[in-house]
Amino acid sequence: MNDKTIIVVSGLPRSGTSMMMNILYRSGIEILTDNYRKPDDNNPQGYFEFEPVKKIASDVSWIYQAENKAVKIIAQLLKYLPQTHQYKIIFMEREIREVIASQQKMLGKCVDATNTETLKHTFLKQIESIKTWLLHQKNIEVIFINHNDIIYNSLPILNKLSEFLNNELIMQNGIKAIQPGLHRNKTVNTP
């Protein structure tokens, strides 16, 4: 990576982005975070967020603080990344029903089946559009990581991630951030 490259961890909210940020942190990668949002029952290992990211559509002045670091940006905001930098994006994917169930639990809301289906289709359409956009950006390299795979088939996935970021510590230390007991709201069969 050159000294202006920014590692971006992205995906839908509740897709495993905080876990991935923790993997990077434990692997010695500097994280851009303000620790404004504290760990809680939904994310006991922390959120690893940086508040200014939420205003990326109107203010990218903070982007220079992210150089040679990792920052978390939800998928819907990726299109606002300025062209001034190179990005290595780790895009977390999780079964949509699990994402929705996890979001509902976190927000303390229950959405009826019709609204859940609408939400599912909206998310799937957004993800398809974002992936298409990502693959056409000359200043972006992207790796797609499946949430369940990294939890239950960790070593091969961590190896791919290690190669993508050219960081051997991911294999050695990243595994410590993966806690299958924190995988709740399962809708698919897992070990």
Side-chain angles (χ1 to χ4, degrees), residues 88-118:
K88 284 187 163 269
I89 296 181
I90 302 163
F91 197 96
M92 297 299 296
E93 298 182 293
R94 185 175 182 183
E95 209 285 324
I96 290 294
R97 290 172 296 164
E98 287 191 8
V99 168
I100 293 169
S102 184
Q103 287 179 1
Q104 289 176 358
K105 182 178 180 185
M106 185 175 177
L107 297 172
K109 296 180 181 177
C110 189
V111 180
D112 65 51
T114 303
N115 287 338
T116 298
E117 277 303 305
T118 301

Side-chain angles (χ1 to χ4, degrees), residues 28-172:
I29 294 171
E30 195 172 349
I31 303 296
L32 181 61
T33 182
D34 49 24
N35 294 310
Y36 178 78
R37 193 169 183 191
K38 303 295 181 199
D40 59 26
D41 290 342
N42 295 300
N43 265 1
Q45 295 188 55
Y47 286 88
F48 300 94
E49 294 178 352
F50 187 62
E51 281 294 301
V53 166
K54 296 175 182 176
K55 297 180 180 175
I56 192 173
S58 59
D59 179 10
V60 294
S61 62
W62 57 268
I63 201 75
Y64 297 96
Q65 295 177 61
E67 290 176 1
N68 210 24
K69 296 177 186 168
V71 64
K72 183 163 78 167
I73 303 174
I74 65 166
Q76 294 88 337
L77 297 180
L78 290 176
K79 64 184 177 183
Y80 298 109
L81 286 169
Q83 295 291 315
T84 54
H85 290 76
Q86 296 293 325
Y87 303 96
K88 284 187 163 269
I89 296 181
I90 302 163
F91 197 96
M92 297 299 296
E93 298 182 293
R94 185 175 182 183
E95 209 285 324
I96 290 294
R97 290 172 296 164
E98 287 191 8
V99 168
I100 293 169
S102 184
Q103 287 179 1
Q104 289 176 358
K105 182 178 180 185
M106 185 175 177
L107 297 172
K109 296 180 181 177
C110 189
V111 180
D112 65 51
T114 303
N115 287 338
T116 298
E117 277 303 305
T118 301
L119 197 53
K120 177 182 163 186
H121 290 297
T122 299
F123 280 156
L124 288 172
K125 193 173 180 178
Q126 285 177 348
I127 292 299
E128 183 181 330
S129 173
I130 292 163
K131 282 183 169 182
T132 300
W133 179 83
L134 281 171
L135 296 172
H136 288 91
Q137 304 308 304
K138 291 185 168 86
N139 63 328
I140 290 176
E141 289 179 68
V142 64
I143 184 172
F144 297 96
I145 302 285
N146 180 280
H147 177 267
N148 285 1
D149 287 348
I150 199 160
I151 293 174
Y152 300 106
N153 193 21
S154 305
L155 293 180
I157 306 302
L158 288 173
N159 186 53
K160 282 174 48 178
L161 183 62
S162 175
E163 290 175 5
F164 181 68
L165 297 178
N166 193 24
N167 183 325
E168 294 177 11
L169 291 177
I170 288 173
M171 290 297 293
Q172 182 179 321

